[in-house]
């Protein structure tokens, strides 16, 4: 999908864990203010691809990345690029809610403090909690430990924590898979609201969820050598109603995976 | 449920008598083992108390040692221990924590780090007199520190550093990977992750390890005798390069006197040392329990 609105582009990306190639030759663009869903069978490299987008794969010692990930006209894998700076612009929300064992306030303030953004910190925290649709539930207990929140609330806190540093892109790896249906619904509607100001890339194994929340969908599959590759990508409506590739159709209609 | 099913009867009694007897025998063996070691300890404490308690007094804690038993006290030994252990703490806390963080978070996992790792664990098993002799040749003579508080503290530091490092590494490892990842994803660099995320969560464990290491250091006699010699000091150190005595040296000194009354003084000294050690271990256990219940909340 060549498009001049792409904020992030992956070019010919392959990732190795030691000798094993987890994904191969993926090229894909992500559109501004849209939700792009990454779908595909378990183990096909969705999380691997997602982690490449803000260099979280750097934290896995044996991971090696080939190809380019272009953001703001630079390859984020250029040796001159500081991964910490990349992550400030491209944030990440994880599969299992992982708040710090600190107060609710300190969780949201963490990113601000370490990046020296301490001016009007109370306002920033409030704004982020409002954006994450959590403010009303926690405004009277900001000093309480984040561990006292429910799973769904913890995940929205993690989203608020990510929003606080004002990234442009938010990566989410199955953000609702550890939550109950109510928590899932809250996260899904939040994702829709967030597209007003953010670009979102979300990994999901749930087809209905991909159909509900995403504008664009990319479908990945595994080859015989277990390397993941991109089958097709495009508007979610097209992928779901009129897939070009029969493997996509088979997957979406639940015939495998 | 049918009647047939309801009327079924299973044998729920233990299967073999033999297995049961074995487990009872094993239980009795354990009980005996505990009984023997406990009786040993108890008789030791009773004997020490019987000999030492009559000598224990405020005066015993605040007076210098003397040729006259009724005048003798362990002031210089107590203050010497305070000096040496304070300096040991000043050395092992930064060095131990630094080494633990280096090994856990910075060092590449290669053959060299593996060798260092194995050596650190093995160092904990080296007899303490070896450290004493090493300290004597390196700190006392080669570095010219003399038989000083500093030389003693450096020697004890070498002796207990492996404990601090091993315990600190374990504390660092208990911090969930997911917390570190969350911090990195917010633009934190490695130092910030170490300082703001790992350290706060690891500190209770590190403190427990440090206190246990210091309590081991307090009780060490052999390396301290090597460094300080079997002295009989009637002054308190006023700076780190002063000579010193410590509680185990003083106790050893009293025990080696031919006169019987000094045995009582030694026993009293042992009581003071034991109370100090028990208090430190209790503090370590308290810190550990308090943080355990807190993290379970
Ligand atoms: N840290 C890692 N080390 C080695 N192999 C890994 C690692 N993470 C993932 N893999 C492998 O890479 C492949 C893709 O994994 P992943 O990206 O987690 O897939 P998905 O998210 O689509 O389920 C799998 O075969 C997995 O076993
Ligand atoms: Mg995954």
């Amino acid at each position: 999908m060549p498009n001049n609105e792409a904020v992030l582009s992956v070019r010919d990306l392959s990732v190795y864990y030691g000798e094993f190639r987890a994904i191969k030759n993926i090229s894909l663009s992500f559109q501004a203010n849209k939700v792009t869903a990454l779908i595909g069978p378990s183990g096909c490299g969705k999380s691997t691809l997602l982690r490449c987008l803000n260099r979280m794969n750097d934290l896995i010692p044996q991971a090696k990345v080939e190809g380019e990930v272009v953001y703001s006209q630079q390859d984020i894998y250029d040796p001159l690029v500081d991964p910490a700076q990349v992550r400030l612009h491209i944030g990440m929300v994880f599969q299992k809610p992982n708040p710090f064992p600190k107060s609710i306030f300190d969780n949201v303030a963490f990113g601000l403090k370490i990046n020296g953004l301490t001016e009007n910190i109370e306002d920033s925290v409030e704004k982020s909690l409002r954006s994450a649709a959590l403010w009303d539930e926690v405004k009277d207990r900001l000093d309480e430990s984040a561990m006292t929140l429910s799973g769904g609330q913890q995940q929205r806190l993690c989203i608020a924590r990510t929003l606080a540093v004002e990234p442009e892109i938010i990566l989410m790896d199955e953000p609702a898979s550890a939550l109950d249906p109510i928590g899932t619904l809250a996260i899904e509607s939040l994702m829709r609201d967030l597209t007003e100001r953010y670009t979102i890339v979300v990994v999901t194994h749930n087809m209905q969820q991909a159909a509900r929340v995403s504008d664009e969908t990319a479908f990945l599959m595994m080859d015989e050598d277990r390397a993941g590759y991109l089958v097709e990508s495009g508007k979610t409506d097209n992928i779901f109603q009129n897939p070009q590739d029969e493997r996509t159709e088979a997957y979406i209609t639940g015939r495998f995976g | 449920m049918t009647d047939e099913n309801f009327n079924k009867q299973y044998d729920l009694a233990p299967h073999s008598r033999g297995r049961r007897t074995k487990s009872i025998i094993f239980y009795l063996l354990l009980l005996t083992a505990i009984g023997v070691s406990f009786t040993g300890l108890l008789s030791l404490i009773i004997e020490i108390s019987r000999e030492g308690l009559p000598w224990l007094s405020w005066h015993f804690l605040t007076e210098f040692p003397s040729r006259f038993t009724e005048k003798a006290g362990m002031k210089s030994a107590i203050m010497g221990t305070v000096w040496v252990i304070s300096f040991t703490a000043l050395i092992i806390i930064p060095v131990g924590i630094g080494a633990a963080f280096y090994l856990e978070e910075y060092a590449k996992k290669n053959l060299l780090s593996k060798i260092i790792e194995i050596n650190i664990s093995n160092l904990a098993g080296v007899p303490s007199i070896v450290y004493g002799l090493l300290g004597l040749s390196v700190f006392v003579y080669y570095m010219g520190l003399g038989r000083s508080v500093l030389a003693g503290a450096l020697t004890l530091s070498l002796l207990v550093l492996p404990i601090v490092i091993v315990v600190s590494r374990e504390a660092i490892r208990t911090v969930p990977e997911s917390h570190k990842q969350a911090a990195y994803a917010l633009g934190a660099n490695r130092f910030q992750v170490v300082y703001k995320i790992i350290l706060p969560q690891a500190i209770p464990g590190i403190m427990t390890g440090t206190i246990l290491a210091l309590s081991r250091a307090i009780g060490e006699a052999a390396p301290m005798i090597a460094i300080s010699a079997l002295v009989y000091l009637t002054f308190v150190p006023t700076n780190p390069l002063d000579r010193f005595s410590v509680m185990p040296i003083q106790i050893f000194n009293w025990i080696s006197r031919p006169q019987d009354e000094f045995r009582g003084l030694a026993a009293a000294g042992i009581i003071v040392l034991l109370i100090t050690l028990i208090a430190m271990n209790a503090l370590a256990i308290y810190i550990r329990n308090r943080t355990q219940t807190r993290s379970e909340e």
Side-chain angles (χ1 to χ4, degrees), chain A residues 1-8 28-39 191-192 195 199-204 206-207 209-220 230 232-240 252:
Chain A
M1 35 184 177
N3 192 314
N4 46 16
E5 279 184 277
V7 283
L8 185 66
L28 184 62
S29 288
F30 301 94
Q31 316 296 313
N33 299 90
K34 298 272 189 271
V35 177
T36 303
L38 302 178
I39 62 170
M191 281 163 68
R192 291 305 327 162
T195 51
T199 301
I200 295 179
V201 183
V202 60
V203 168
T204 176
N206 178 331
M207 290 306 106
Q209 184 171 71
R212 279 194 301 266
V213 303
S214 70
D215 305 290
E216 307 272 334
T217 297
F219 173 54
L220 277 66
L230 180 69
E232 68 176 302
S233 66
K235 291 224 175 315
T236 298
D237 290 343
N238 290 343
I239 297 276
F240 274 79
I252 283 164

Side-chain angles (χ1 to χ4, degrees), chain A residues 56 59 84 87-88 91-92 94 98-102 110-111 114-115 147 161-162, chain B residues 177-189 192-193 196-197 200-201 297:
Chain A
M56 287 298 281
L59 305 179
R87 296 176 196 133
L88 261 184
M92 185 170 240
F94 299 83
N98 57 354
F100 301 125
K102 300 175 188 281
F110 182 84
I114 58 166
N115 292 297
M147 300 307 174
R161 180 174 69 181
T162 303
Chain B
E177 202 60 35
S178 67
H179 292 165
K180 300 184 214 167
Q181 293 203 349
Y184 280 117
L186 290 166
N189 58 37
Q192 287 168 325
V193 171
K196 304 259 166 123
I197 298 294
Q201 290 190 60
E297 264 166 23

Side-chain angles (χ1 to χ4, degrees), chain B residues 181-212:
Chain B
Q181 293 203 349
Y184 280 117
L186 290 166
N189 58 37
R190 183 142 61 172
F191 176 74
Q192 287 168 325
V193 171
V194 164
Y195 192 69
K196 304 259 166 123
I197 298 294
I198 304 177
L199 194 58
Q201 290 190 60
I203 266 187
I206 293 174
M207 269 170 65
T208 309
T210 308
I211 294 169
L212 290 178

Side-chain angles (χ1 to χ4, degrees), chain A residues 86-107:
Chain A
V86 171
R87 296 176 196 133
L88 261 184
H89 292 97
I90 308 177
M92 185 170 240
V93 175
F94 299 83
Q95 192 164 350
K96 243 183 94 212
N98 57 354
F100 301 125
K102 300 175 188 281
S103 73
I104 293 170
F105 182 93
D106 285 340
N107 262 276

Side-chain angles (χ1 to χ4, degrees), chain A residues 17 20 22 41-48 51 60 62 226:
Chain A
Y17 293 114
F20 169 63
S42 184
C44 71
K46 306 180 294 294
S47 300
T48 299
R51 282 198 299 267
I60 302 172
Q62 75 271 29
R226 289 177 44 233

